Amino acid sequence: MTPAQKFARIVVPLPLKEPLTYSVPESLEGRLAPGSRVLVEVQRRILTGVAVDFSARSALARTKPIIDLLDEEPILDPHLLQLGRWISDYYLVALGEVVAAMLPPNSRRPSRKPPTMHSLRSCQWPRRIQANQPPENSARFIACAAGHRSGRSC
């Protein structure tokens, strides 16, 4: 990335036709390269994305900034990005989903969306668990809370 390039196009593991455009904060200028993993916010969720290219201008009036750079070196080289674009075009699959499939499982980071108090209040498990109940109920509550974090209810 050259210093004049202030915007990055990021693919995320969602079925989107085009990469999303994010602004590059000053702290990350010069450190990003195509194939770098980054953290970005998409609809109040924090997702792992991969930078595919950069530009000096954006057609958008406002863009969100990239939250953080996850690796000092790009995880995908230009040849793998080109292969991902070919796969995306040939099989009519979103580039973000192709890139996510190309990454090792350990490098994929699930989205983080904390549960709201409203969603946990509607849950029946916190009222049912008592200190003297068996551990399986505690495990069910933990699974229920994890479900709320991912947007599901129990």
Side-chain angles (χ1 to χ4, degrees):
M1 183 177 102
T2 64
Q5 296 173 329
K6 301 284 185 181
F7 298 96
R9 291 176 23 109
I10 309 293
V11 293
V12 292
L14 297 173
L16 303 173
K17 291 182 180 181
E18 293 292 322
L20 302 172
T21 302
Y22 287 86
S23 61
V24 177
E26 289 182 16
S27 62
L28 297 179
E29 282 184 21
R31 295 175 52 202
L32 286 175
S36 298
R37 285 186 321 141
V38 294
L39 288 180
V40 292
E41 182 180 354
V42 179
Q43 296 180 348
R44 297 180 302 203
R45 292 187 300 170
I46 306 296
L47 297 176
T48 299
V50 175
V52 290
D53 58 10
F54 302 94
S55 65
R57 295 182 160 193
S58 171
L60 304 172
R62 274 185 45 204
T63 58
K64 293 180 182 180
I66 294 172
I67 296 171
D68 198 9
L69 175 65
L70 294 177
D71 307 305
E72 290 302 318
E73 295 294 320
I75 195 164
L76 297 175
D77 65 11
H79 299 292
L80 284 175
L81 284 175
Q82 184 178 5
L83 174 64
R85 285 187 184 103
W86 181 87
I87 292 170
S88 173
D89 291 340
Y90 188 82
Y91 291 103
L92 303 175
V93 179
L95 180 57
E97 293 178 316
V98 172
V99 168
M102 295 172 83
L103 295 176
N106 293 358
S107 67
R108 295 183 216 145
R109 187 181 164 281
S111 66
R112 288 185 301 180
K113 185 175 179 184
T116 62
M117 288 308 294
H118 174 72
S119 66
L120 287 178
R121 281 190 196 124
S122 65
C123 179
Q124 297 299 316
W125 281 105
R127 291 184 213 122
R128 294 180 188 168
I129 291 185
Q130 298 173 1
N132 60 357
Q133 287 188 325
E136 63 267 15
N137 286 342
S138 299
R140 286 183 186 170
F141 174 71
I142 290 169
C144 175
H148 282 287
R149 271 190 232 110
S150 63
R152 297 184 314 264
S153 61
C154 56

